Amino acid sequence: MLIGGVDEAGRGSILGPLVVAGVSVRQSRLTNLKEMGVRDSKLLTPTARARLVDEIKSVADHYHVHAIDTAEIDSSVLLKGLNRLEAKAMAHVITRIRADEVYVDCCDTNPGRYRDHIASHLEECPKIHSMHHADRINVAVSAASILAKVTRDSEIQKLKKKHRNIGSGYPSDEKTMLFIRNWVARKKCAPVFARKSWKPMRLLLEGLEQRARV
């Protein structure tokens, strides 16, 4: 029996992609994940996460990583459909990890509703457990969270090599927001790798339009 776990990284970021990852592991091998130190990616150092990626892939029967770019995120946010977009991405990943039973980290306040959103995109639906904080509770989801986080961090590192001081990519990071403010001031537009639908960016762009009309 294959047990699957699916999680995301970068949902709240203002820069870069939202990454959804999934793994499926034979039930008998779940203890291997625990023994190698797999847990919620947020509780691990970058070095530990990087080390664990190859180990997770060696134990997993299947794994898949899917990145959602900023344009698709913005389109969904404008329609108030970010949760639905993430559910669709999770369904895409689930079809590729071929699990008999899947645990997903739920971003919706209603886990049952989120499970139904995922199932609506699946022709053949395994048993889905939609749970809050699943990355802390279920080791397969923890493994998926590591793959998602490492992939997301790699994308941010690519942006840093090209644009330097972009910070973590999150709006709570002053370095990130300073980078964005300077970009908008200089280029009179948002970076293509930024989410224009996020409130801090909307406010900057609205201020730009108001100044242009004066």
Side-chain angles (χ1 to χ4, degrees), residues 50-63:
R51 173 183 60 81
L52 284 166
V53 164
D54 288 338
E55 294 186 35
I56 290 167
K57 290 178 178 179
S58 71
V59 170
D61 284 71
H62 306 284
Y63 62 88

Side-chain angles (χ1 to χ4, degrees), residues 1 7 24 28 30 77 86 96 126 169 181 186 206 208:
M1 183 173 181
D7 198 7
S24 61
S28 60
L30 291 174
V77 171
E86 191 172 313
R96 282 153 180 79
R181 287 193 294 269
R186 287 196 323 270
E206 287 168 6
L208 191 67

